[in-house]
Amino acid sequence: MASTTSPSDTTSPATTTQSNQDHENLQKKRARDRKSQRAMRERTKWNITYLTEQVNHLSQALEIETREKADLYNRFLAVSEENDHLRVQKAALQLRLLGNGQDTPEGSSPVVPPGTLMPFEAVPLNTSPTTMSDQILQTFVESRWEAYAFQTAGRVESYPDKPDLSALFDGRPNRRVDDTSAVVGDIVRSYTEIDTLPKQVAVHFCMSTLMKWQVLRTKQSFEQMPCWLRPEAAQLQKPHASWIDRIPWPKLRLYLIEHTEVEFDDYASAYSTSFSIRWDYDPNHVIITTAEGDREGILINPIYEEHIRQLKNWTVGGVFRRKFPEMAAIIDSYSEAETVS
């Protein structure tokens, strides 16, 4: 009887060898995968540890830098306070020298005893600069005044009768404009909210006229200012930020001197966009062009100058009225006044 064979009996040795090889390769692959996974976990763990150390290191460095900045700021405040004290001492010393009849440089103001300064000689009592514009303008005024008063290098021999408005249109550093007009023009141009020519010219006229007097401190320069721009008694007696002196309305200046909680940024952001000049004519008619030799200048139109010397033609609206109703009411009190200098 013939014997029968099952399928398994027919498996060749070669097939068995291949199967064993595949199984071995699979085991090796699994071993490699496990090894790669362990290596990846170790790298991830190392990266986490390294990054944690970096975060701790940077946090410590930030903490140290924060403390150093706080220390520097405190030292800055101390130096500023000391500077204010020295300025007061300097002013008192100058007054004592004047009162004792000490010789003064040729061409300076006449000798007067303390407490009897003429109105045009007494300038506002300002604190250290609190804004960038204050820093620029106060530094400018102090340096020019010292040069003018003590006949040192940099003394300004003369100023034009009227401010040159060319700097409102020409920002080049080599422009031919007197220093005061140039500095003021640069600052006015930096406030893009002051976006009309009548407003720009009005602000430039007030700022440059005020600065000219603060540098020269003569009767003529004092009387060239609108009467409402001349300092009130409180401005001469109470320390305050110099930006307050440039505000047109006297009662509003007094209000701000008393209400120190009103900060410049809040005031300026509302005022710059809200104030206006009542001018019902062509905006371009607020200026005139003059020629002197090969040089052209841009001056305020005398008609417009007389117009802005009337404080009733200055007003505010919109944002300012909503944000500062008390100050808006003060401004409104001038709307019907015939204030003409």
Side-chain angles (χ1 to χ4, degrees):
M1 180 176 180
S3 62
T4 61
T5 59
S6 65
S8 59
D9 294 336
T10 61
T11 303
S12 66
T15 302
T16 302
T17 302
Q18 181 63 41
S19 178
N20 292 337
Q21 185 68 38
D22 291 343
H23 178 73
E24 184 179 351
N25 290 339
L26 178 61
Q27 294 300 320
K28 290 181 178 180
K29 180 178 183 301
R30 289 176 177 174
R32 288 196 300 271
D33 290 344
R34 287 193 295 271
K35 185 176 181 180
S36 297
Q37 290 172 355
R38 283 196 302 271
M40 183 176 296
R41 286 195 296 270
E42 290 175 359
R43 285 196 299 271
T44 301
K45 183 179 179 180
W46 183 87
N47 285 334
I48 292 175
T49 302
Y50 174 76
L51 292 176
T52 301
E53 292 176 353
Q54 287 291 97
V55 169
N56 292 334
H57 175 73
L58 292 174
S59 297
Q60 292 175 359
L62 178 61
E63 184 179 352
I64 293 173
E65 184 178 359
T66 301
R67 286 200 302 267
E68 290 177 348
K69 285 185 176 180
D71 291 341
L72 287 173
Y73 181 69
N74 290 332
R75 269 187 265 172
F76 168 76
L77 292 179
V79 170
S80 296
E81 183 176 353
E82 182 180 0
N83 184 52
D84 288 340
H85 180 66
L86 291 174
R87 288 177 60 194
V88 172
Q89 286 185 326
K90 176 183 175 183
L93 177 60
Q94 289 175 332
L95 288 175
R96 283 200 298 272
L97 290 175
L98 290 173
N100 290 334
Q102 300 291 329
D103 292 336
T104 56
E106 181 182 355
S108 63
S109 301
V111 175
V112 292
T116 59
L117 291 176
M118 299 297 291
F120 58 84
E121 296 175 307
V123 295
L125 182 59
N126 294 139
T127 59
S128 294
T130 57
T131 70
M132 180 62 71
S133 58
D134 281 2
Q135 177 69 52
I136 295 171
L137 296 178
Q138 285 180 248
T139 301
F140 178 89
V141 167
E142 289 174 6
S143 63
R144 296 304 191 276
W145 157 243
E146 290 180 359
Y148 176 80
F150 299 107
Q151 303 286 305
T152 58
R155 178 183 185 275
V156 179
E157 296 295 336
S158 64
Y159 276 93
D161 289 337
K162 301 293 181 182
D164 192 331
L165 303 174
S166 301
L168 288 176
F169 310 93
D170 185 357
R172 294 175 302 174
N174 61 343
R175 61 203 163 185
R176 299 176 61 183
V177 183
D178 66 275
D179 287 348
T180 302
S181 298
V183 170
V184 174
D186 290 341
I187 290 178
V188 175
R189 283 190 297 104
S190 70
Y191 285 92
T192 56
E193 302 90 344
I194 306 177
D195 54 358
T196 67
L197 188 57
K199 290 170 62 173
Q200 293 171 345
V201 171
V203 172
H204 189 288
F205 175 78
C206 290
M207 289 179 62
S208 57
T209 305
L210 175 65
M211 285 182 61
K212 177 181 176 180
W213 163 66
Q214 289 177 328
V215 170
L216 300 179
R217 305 183 193 183
T218 61
K219 182 178 180 181
Q220 180 182 9
S221 60
F222 183 79
E223 292 178 345
Q224 286 177 341
M225 287 192 296
C227 62
W228 39 261
L229 192 57
R230 300 166 192 170
E232 299 289 308
Q235 294 173 250
L236 306 176
Q237 300 165 0
K238 296 184 178 182
H240 61 280
S242 67
W243 62 267
I244 295 177
D245 299 325
R246 302 191 291 271
I247 293 174
W249 302 275
K251 293 179 184 177
L252 185 54
R253 297 199 294 270
L254 301 182
Y255 177 94
L256 288 168
I257 289 175
E258 295 298 330
H259 292 75
T260 55
E261 72 278 7
V262 180
E263 297 183 353
F264 172 79
D265 289 340
D266 291 336
Y267 177 91
S269 63
Y271 177 75
S272 297
T273 58
S274 302
F275 94 94
S276 61
I277 306 295
R278 295 188 178 100
W279 177 254
D280 298 328
Y281 310 99
D282 188 333
N284 294 318
H285 290 171
V286 302
I287 59 174
I288 58 175
T289 302
T290 63
E292 182 178 344
D294 61 345
R295 176 185 174 187
E296 288 190 352
I298 302 176
L299 305 180
I300 184 172
N301 187 326
I303 296 175
Y304 185 64
E305 178 181 338
E306 289 302 317
H307 185 78
I308 61 175
R309 282 179 177 271
Q310 301 179 49
L311 202 49
K312 67 178 183 179
N313 291 321
W314 294 68
T315 187
V316 294
V319 175
F320 190 90
R321 288 187 174 277
R322 292 191 295 271
K323 191 169 186 176
F324 302 114
E326 289 187 27
M327 288 191 273
I330 293 174
I331 293 172
D332 289 342
S333 68
Y334 290 91
S335 61
E336 300 301 327
E338 295 291 338
T339 308
V340 183
S341 63

